[in-house]
Amino acid sequence: MRTTGDTRARILDAATELFRRQGYAATGMKQILTTAGATYGSAYHFYPGGKTQLGEDVVRTSGAAYLALIGELFQDRAADPAETTARAFTGAAQTLLDLDYADPCPIATIALEVAGTNEALRVATAEVFDSWTDALAAFYGSFGIAESRATARSVIALLEGAFMLGRAARSTAPVLDAAPAAAAIVRAAAGRSPLSGRTEGETL
Amino acid sequence: MRTTGDTRARILDAATELFRRQGYAATGMKQILTTAGATYGSAYHFYPGGKTQLGEDVVRTSGAAYLALIGELFQDRAADPAETTARAFTGAAQTLLDLDYADPCPIATIALEVAGTNEALRVATAEVFDSWTDALAAFYGSFGIAESRATARSVIALLEGAFMLGRAARSTAPVLDAAPAAAAIVRAAAGRSPLSGRTEGETL
DNA sequence: GTCTATATTAGGATAGAC
DNA sequence: GTCTATCCTAATATAGAC
């Protein structure tokens, strides 16, 4: 039995970790509770809606944590946004390695698993993806990139897909390959924007 | 009980369909067999390795079918490869809609689910992704694009990620947004290639 | 708020008749 | 090659004592 944090936090942490490594459906409440050092009584006290409600908490909580991470990675207004984007991918490749190919995205596997079978969870994953898109779009928009939402969405999609191929192959190559590709997406969108030219060729 | 095809094919088809809609872990053998109109006896006769072996057959068979589809979509040597790529994404958005947001990629959900828990299946998904990458890289390479494998991998990753966001949001927008993004990836790679200039500006 | 015990259903897999 | 019956385990969830 661990003693770090309160019981609800331990259950949430254990579920987040296990969902990330095994997926949602393959992870049982029993395993979560054993890992968390908690009991059914506690779990259904905090999550009367059961596994689905716990899953929602996992998705929204880790979604918010990643939103904060996006805010940290994408804040340099002085740098080329395409370069900033590429750097984020390079860092993500390292994260993939550090996690030994567990899912670097805490909601990706869940999102695919529940898209057609659990409406509450599906909505939760959609809202998290939207919040990430909003944050990244705001960053690109601040550089005058016109289709900032479409650009942000594609960059996030590319990262998610690269994680998928990387995990399957147990290789960081797909994520590293995606770094210049992501930069190309951003540069192309910048080139199509009214303020274009400013981000092309010039360092600042 | 259906009578189309033999028993093994019915089991394979049912499993493919259910894995695509519900994922691998959430789909039970019982449900597969009920849907297929088959029994345990038949299932373990054809797949003595059980659910994992059935999953492998699903991954490799539908992986081969998609490889053929890639071959059909990417064969026009007269058109701009970036345009061809964008058109494939537009078509994929329609497929997503036609499937009512079931997974257009038959192995994506499985790939994420098993990446850390089932080595045999993980290898199967990796090999399928590789075969798709090879085919698409050969297409890009035929246009003189130098980093053809990295480009192909990123295009596939972008499509997989766009499917993920699209399924979560029940919207084709992520896939449609990804069409010009994919074209940008291809154009950027072409621009970095020795034979560059040929695919830029010119129609042929 | 936490515990144990249990209800109920489904999970994957096997044996052996036919 | 197909069937039924069954084994054993684990699934989610609940009840009720403490």
Side-chain angles (χ1 to χ4, degrees):
Chain A
M1 167 149 66
R2 299 200 221 138
T3 48
T4 314
D6 59 11
T7 302
R8 182 183 177 131
R10 287 205 316 277
I11 294 171
L12 183 62
D13 287 351
T16 302
E17 186 70 12
L18 289 169
F19 289 166
R20 177 186 281 222
R21 299 194 175 271
Q22 311 177 337
Y24 177 77
T27 302
M29 288 292 279
K30 268 180 187 157
Q31 189 184 9
I32 293 169
L33 295 174
T34 302
T35 306
T39 62
Y40 274 90
S42 299
Y44 283 86
H45 169 72
F46 292 116
Y47 300 104
K51 193 184 177 183
T52 291
Q53 192 182 350
L54 173 56
E56 269 197 65
D57 199 8
V58 167
V59 168
R60 295 195 192 277
T61 302
S62 45
Y66 265 60
L67 180 62
L69 183 62
I70 291 173
E72 286 171 30
L73 291 175
F74 296 89
Q75 63 181 173
D76 191 343
R77 300 289 313 281
D80 174 8
E83 290 294 328
T84 302
T85 303
R87 229 184 305 275
F89 275 67
T90 309
Q94 186 58 46
T95 302
L96 181 62
L97 207 58
D98 293 342
L99 289 171
D100 193 31
Y101 299 100
D103 205 332
C105 172
I107 75 163
T109 309
I110 302 177
L112 286 186
E113 285 186 272
V114 305
T117 52
N118 187 322
E119 186 63 7
L121 265 179
R122 192 218 107 219
V123 169
T125 61
E127 289 177 357
V128 167
F129 284 136
D130 254 358
S131 74
W132 297 350
T133 304
D134 287 343
L136 197 52
F139 176 74
Y140 293 140
S142 75
F143 289 90
I145 295 174
E147 302 122 322
S148 59
R149 260 194 82 79
T151 303
R153 233 183 329 225
S154 293
V155 168
I156 291 168
L158 177 57
L159 183 63
E160 292 289 359
F163 280 154
M164 185 187 299
L165 301 200
R167 292 190 68 207
R170 285 188 71 86
S171 160
T172 57
V175 184
L176 293 173
D177 287 348
I185 292 172
V186 175
R187 269 190 263 268
R192 276 182 253 116
S193 303
L195 299 181
S196 84
R198 195 172 71 84
T199 51
E200 289 200 274
E202 291 183 87
T203 312
L204 179 65
Chain B
M1 167 149 63
R2 297 200 224 142
T3 48
T4 314
D6 60 10
T7 304
R8 183 183 176 131
R10 287 206 316 278
I11 295 172
L12 183 62
D13 286 352
T16 302
E17 185 70 12
L18 289 168
F19 289 165
R20 177 186 282 222
R21 298 193 176 274
Q22 310 176 337
Y24 176 78
T27 302
M29 288 294 278
K30 272 178 184 156
Q31 188 186 9
I32 293 169
L33 295 174
T34 302
T35 305
T39 63
Y40 273 91
S42 300
Y44 282 87
H45 169 71
F46 293 116
Y47 300 104
K51 193 183 177 184
T52 291
Q53 192 183 350
L54 173 56
E56 269 197 66
D57 198 9
V58 167
V59 167
R60 296 195 192 276
T61 303
S62 46
Y66 265 59
L67 180 62
L69 182 63
I70 291 173
E72 287 171 29
L73 291 175
F74 296 89
Q75 62 181 172
D76 191 344
R77 300 287 314 280
D80 175 7
E83 290 294 327
T84 301
T85 303
R87 231 185 304 274
F89 276 66
T90 310
Q94 186 58 47
T95 302
L96 181 62
L97 207 58
D98 294 341
L99 289 170
D100 193 31
Y101 300 100
D103 205 331
C105 173
I107 75 164
T109 308
I110 302 177
L112 286 186
E113 285 185 273
V114 305
T117 52
N118 187 322
E119 186 64 7
L121 266 179
R122 191 219 107 217
V123 169
T125 61
E127 289 177 357
V128 167
F129 284 136
D130 253 357
S131 74
W132 297 349
T133 303
D134 287 343
L136 197 53
F139 176 74
Y140 292 141
S142 76
F143 289 91
I145 295 174
E147 301 121 324
S148 59
R149 260 194 82 79
T151 303
R153 227 179 340 222
S154 293
V155 167
I156 291 168
L158 177 57
L159 182 64
E160 292 290 0
F163 280 154
M164 185 187 299
L165 300 199
R167 292 190 69 207
R170 284 188 71 85
S171 160
T172 56
V175 184
L176 292 173
D177 287 348
I185 292 173
V186 176
R187 270 190 261 269
R192 274 183 255 115
S193 303
L195 299 181
S196 84
R198 193 172 70 83
T199 51
E200 288 201 276
E202 290 183 87
T203 313
L204 180 64

